[in-house]
Amino acid sequence: MKKHLFSILALLALATAVHAQAAGQNPRAKEAYQAYAGQTGSGHAQSMGATSDQTYEAYDPMLIKEMRRQQRREFRQELRLERVRNRRFLQPMGPYGYYYWGW
């Protein structure tokens, strides 16, 4: 008897859940969508995601990654150029305080 009662309660709960999801959560959603879709020109849909100052810039991870890569390349190039310009500071110092000049 308990099996039958439990199965009936489980089926009833499942049917209630299915019915609750089938009955839309926002019955006037279609009306609102049609109202916004019908607007043309400078309507709400045109200015979606824009600020009054037009200062919003979309976050593009691929573009940011490429910019960082380019900055890293430029920094390494500048570092190499500085090392070439100041060559004598990279050569090891001898035991008596002078630089090795190829001896």
Side-chain angles (χ1 to χ4, degrees):
M1 183 68 186
K2 286 185 181 180
K3 287 183 182 179
H4 295 295
L5 184 61
F6 180 71
S7 7
I8 291 173
L9 287 175
L11 286 174
L12 184 62
L14 181 66
T16 305
V18 169
H19 178 68
Q21 286 186 1
Q25 294 180 0
N26 187 357
R28 298 187 62 195
K30 287 184 181 179
E31 295 174 25
Y33 175 74
Q34 289 172 354
Y36 280 117
Q39 292 180 356
T40 58
S42 62
H44 175 71
Q46 296 289 331
S47 65
M48 191 78 112
T51 60
S52 59
D53 300 351
Q54 298 297 327
T55 56
Y56 175 75
E57 184 175 333
Y59 181 80
D60 185 8
M62 296 302 288
L63 180 63
I64 291 174
K65 185 176 180 181
E66 184 60 35
M67 286 173 48
R68 286 181 183 160
R69 184 178 293 154
Q70 185 64 28
Q71 288 173 350
R72 189 170 53 245
R73 287 177 184 158
E74 290 172 2
F75 174 75
R76 288 179 182 167
Q77 178 69 20
E78 290 175 14
L79 194 60
R80 283 193 294 268
L81 290 173
E82 282 298 318
R83 286 179 180 159
V84 169
R85 284 187 203 119
N86 300 322
R87 192 99 177 126
R88 68 184 183 110
F89 294 110
L90 292 177
Q91 293 178 351
M93 217 174 211
Y96 303 109
Y98 61 88
Y99 292 99
Y100 291 117
W101 294 105
W103 292 290

